[in-house]
Amino acid sequence: MTVVIVLVVVVLVVLLLWLWAIAPHLPRADFSAFAKYDYAHRGLHNKEKGVPENSLLAFDMACRGGFGMELDLQLTQDGQIVIHHDRNISRTCGVDRNIDEMTYEELSGYRLLGNPEQQVPLFSDVLKVVDGRTPLIIEFKSYTRQEELCQKAMALLEGYQGLYCVESFDPRIVRWFKKHHPQIVRGQLMCRKPREEMSDTEDFFNRLMLTNVYTRPHFEAYDFHLRHHPSLRLARRVFGMQEVSWTLRSLEEYQQAKGEGCLCIFEKFLPPETSTHQKFTFSDLLAQSGKAAVCLRSSEGKGSTAVK
C-alpha cells in the first residue's frame, strides 16, 4: 500500500511540474481582435500566377482580400531588416547567396521568381504597404545577430498603429520579448527539428513545450500535422492556451483547425467568406492589385544593381 501511495505522489508531482513547465503567460492575452482574421502564409502568394511569397504584391493582395498575414524577418549584412523566409535566395531568386552575407543594395539587385517588379522587400516598406489595414504575425528568424534583429524591428514598430504579434522558433527571441516588451503578444513556434543542427534530444524537449518555462508565450504556433502532441493538448485544456495552426493547405484542414478555435495560417487556397472578407477568386484580387500594386523602394534600394 505504501508503495502505491508513493507512486501516486510521484506521478502527481511529475504532472504538476509538467503543467508548470508548459504553462503559457497568465493571465491569457485577449485574442478577440486577432481571431477576426485568417492569415495568409507569407502573404497571399501564388507562384503559378507570378505573385511571389513574402513580396509587397502578396502583402497588398492579402490586405485587399481582408486577410491578416504572416511574414519572416531577417538581417542583411549591413543591418537592414528584410522579409524573406530562407537564409539563402536560391529558391526564390535562383542565386546561391545568403542574405546575411549581402548588403541590401546587393540583395535588391535580384528579383523574386523572375518578377521584374518584385524584390526582397524591406520591413519598413511592408509596414507602409499594410499601413494597419490587417493584422501581422511577425516571425523572427534566428539565422544571425538575433538581438540586433529584435532591437531594430521594435524601433520600426514603435510608431506603427496596426495590430501585430511576434513569434519565433528560437526560444531566445521569444524570451527577449518577454523581458523587453512583455506587453506585446508573443508566440512560440513549434515543429519537428526547425534547425538541421538540432539534436534529437533538444527536439524532443522542444516539442514537449518545456521551453515555455523560459519564454512564457501567449500562444503556441504548432505545426498542424503535429498538433495532437500531449503537451499542446494539455496546455489548451488546462490553461486555455491559444493555438495558432500552420500551415493549412486545404479546406478540410482549415475547417478542423477553425472548429477548435485556432488562429489559421493558410496558403494554396482561399478560406470561405467571412465578416472580414467577401467571396472572390485569387484572380479577382490580382486584377485589383495589378498595375496599382505598391512597389515602394527605400533610399537604400534606389542605387541597386541591374536586374539579374
Side-chain angles (χ1 to χ4, degrees):
M1 189 65 178
T2 304
V3 174
V4 173
I5 293 174
V6 170
L7 287 175
V8 170
V9 171
V10 169
V11 169
L12 286 175
V13 169
V14 170
L15 180 59
L16 289 173
L17 286 173
W18 183 17
L19 285 172
W20 171 74
I22 68 175
H25 178 274
L26 295 173
R28 295 180 65 236
D30 181 5
F31 284 91
S32 57
F34 290 102
K36 296 176 181 177
Y37 293 85
D38 297 318
Y39 295 82
H41 188 229
R42 306 176 194 171
L44 197 62
H45 62 92
N46 188 314
K47 183 177 181 180
E48 288 68 32
K49 293 185 181 295
V51 181
E53 65 182 58
N54 276 327
S55 66
L56 290 180
L57 178 57
F59 299 134
D60 181 59
M61 288 182 61
C63 291
R64 290 174 184 272
F67 300 111
M69 65 206 74
E70 180 268 354
L71 48 84
D72 308 282
L73 303 189
Q74 59 177 295
L75 285 171
T76 60
Q77 185 184 62
D78 56 343
Q80 297 296 314
I81 301 180
V82 295
I83 311 296
H84 196 267
H85 180 269
D86 304 353
R87 183 179 187 180
N88 191 284
I89 62 172
S90 59
R91 181 177 62 85
T92 55
C93 300
V95 179
D96 185 15
R97 299 191 68 181
N98 289 338
I99 287 176
D100 57 283
E101 296 172 351
M102 286 186 282
T103 65
Y104 180 69
E105 182 176 357
E106 291 177 288
L107 177 62
S108 62
Y110 300 100
R111 293 297 179 265
L112 294 167
L113 300 182
N115 186 323
E117 295 183 333
Q118 300 299 315
Q119 63 191 55
V120 175
L122 287 165
F123 183 39
S124 57
D125 287 344
V126 172
L127 294 178
K128 292 175 186 176
V129 167
V130 177
D131 194 27
R133 287 184 285 171
T134 59
L136 303 174
I137 298 178
I138 305 171
E139 179 183 344
F140 285 70
K141 293 296 185 185
S142 59
Y143 300 130
T144 185
R145 294 143 52 205
Q146 295 86 3
E147 185 161 353
E148 179 185 346
L149 175 63
C150 293
Q151 290 173 343
K152 288 186 171 180
M154 286 312 304
L156 292 174
L157 286 164
E158 185 174 352
Y160 185 67
Q161 299 301 310
L163 182 66
Y164 69 90
C165 61
V166 300
E167 64 178 12
S168 181
F169 283 109
D170 192 331
R172 294 171 299 177
I173 290 176
V174 184
R175 171 73 177 186
W176 187 91
F177 279 95
K178 178 181 183 294
K179 180 179 179 180
H180 296 283
H181 297 277
Q183 77 284 1
I184 295 175
V185 174
R186 62 187 179 274
Q188 180 65 57
L189 271 160
M190 196 63 62
C191 71
R192 180 174 284 116
K193 281 198 173 184
R195 301 190 308 275
E196 290 183 2
E197 70 276 11
M198 181 180 286
S199 69
D200 290 337
T201 301
E202 185 180 1
D203 177 53
F204 174 76
F205 281 101
N206 274 6
R207 284 188 287 116
L208 273 174
M209 294 169 40
L210 297 182
T211 58
N212 284 7
V213 73
Y214 176 67
T215 62
R216 293 298 181 216
H218 296 97
F219 66 90
E220 204 81 21
Y222 223 101
D223 182 344
F224 178 77
H225 301 99
L226 302 174
R227 66 188 297 266
H228 294 295
H229 195 283
S231 284
L232 181 61
R233 300 291 91 191
L234 194 59
R236 287 198 58 173
R237 181 176 295 275
V238 175
F239 302 108
M241 171 176 265
Q242 179 63 54
E243 180 183 354
V244 177
S245 285
W246 61 274
T247 301
L248 308 173
R249 295 187 172 91
S250 72
L251 184 58
E252 292 73 23
E253 292 180 345
Y254 170 84
Q255 290 173 333
Q256 180 182 346
K258 199 76 170 178
E260 295 186 23
C262 302
L263 299 185
C264 297
I265 300 177
F266 70 92
E267 69 177 11
K268 299 186 183 299
F269 75 99
L270 291 179
E273 180 180 357
T274 69
S275 60
T276 58
H277 63 86
Q278 303 301 311
K279 188 174 182 178
F280 44 70
T281 66
F282 188 92
S283 296
D284 293 334
L285 293 177
L286 184 57
Q288 289 178 27
S289 290
K291 296 180 181 179
V294 183
C295 295
L296 297 174
R297 291 180 175 82
S298 68
S299 58
E300 291 89 347
K302 290 180 179 178
S304 57
T305 58
V307 176
K308 301 181 183 180

